[in-house]
Amino acid sequence: MKSSRLASALLIVAVTTALAACGDGDKATTAGPTTPAPTSAAPSAVATSAAATPTSSSAAGAATDKQLCEAVKKASDEMRTEMVKVATTGDASAADFKKILTGLEQKVTTVASTGEGKLADALRTFAAEAAKAAAAADPATAADNPAFEKVGKEISAACKANGVSMVL
């Protein structure tokens, strides 16, 4: 059982390392025009549909897809930080992974809750997959599934198209 937890922890560390690499690359490659962070940079930054006008967040009361991606990236970065803390303790438990996945699910759900369109729907699906994994007996292993990976790739691609590089 310890070897499966170690394997899961190593897989999660590898994924979080990829998140870190993508996040740092985004900062280096977007040195051009800098846009301010969403109004609060918290999960309250929400999205409109993919067809929304990029700067209509104030008028419509909802954020653009780019702002949605920035908020999700922040949630992902927070999860990555927690994963690194858990992985470096050397004694990661199912409860640790459950807490991390539950937190991620809650943050992504909050971000997606007022969004519309394909990106918001993908975020809702991602949050549902995170909730399923968190509810499993072995959350780390449950998080390593094709459906979770697929929706994460869809979100990452949509965010990249909106100028936010991340791996979810």
Side-chain angles (χ1 to χ4, degrees):
M1 180 161 247
K2 277 191 166 191
S3 64
S4 68
R5 283 191 180 153
L6 178 61
S8 296
L10 290 175
L11 174 65
I12 291 169
V13 169
V15 170
T16 58
T17 302
L19 285 170
C22 289
D24 292 335
D26 181 42
K27 292 176 187 170
T29 59
T30 58
T34 313
T35 56
T39 53
S40 70
S44 64
V46 292
T48 59
S49 69
T53 333
T55 58
S56 65
S57 64
S58 297
T64 64
D65 279 354
K66 181 174 182 173
Q67 290 170 322
L68 178 64
C69 289
E70 289 168 345
V72 170
K73 182 180 185 313
K74 182 180 181 220
S76 176
D77 289 347
E78 290 170 358
M79 183 228 22
R80 179 181 39 84
T81 299
E82 289 301 313
M83 293 292 259
V84 169
K85 284 180 190 175
V86 167
T88 57
T89 65
D91 193 23
S93 68
D96 293 328
F97 292 114
K98 178 179 180 154
K99 178 182 173 187
I100 291 166
L101 287 166
T102 299
L104 180 64
E105 179 265 330
Q106 291 170 346
K107 289 175 184 175
V108 172
T109 297
T110 300
V111 171
S113 67
T114 58
E116 298 174 356
K118 290 181 182 181
L119 182 56
D121 289 344
L123 288 169
R124 287 182 193 95
T125 302
F126 184 86
E129 288 296 325
K132 281 189 227 175
D138 186 356
T141 301
D144 183 24
N145 73 65
F148 207 9
E149 183 178 343
K150 180 183 178 211
V151 73
K153 285 181 180 180
E154 290 172 5
I155 294 167
S156 297
C159 288
K160 186 173 183 176
N162 282 287
V164 179
S165 293
M166 61 174 242
V167 176
L168 194 62

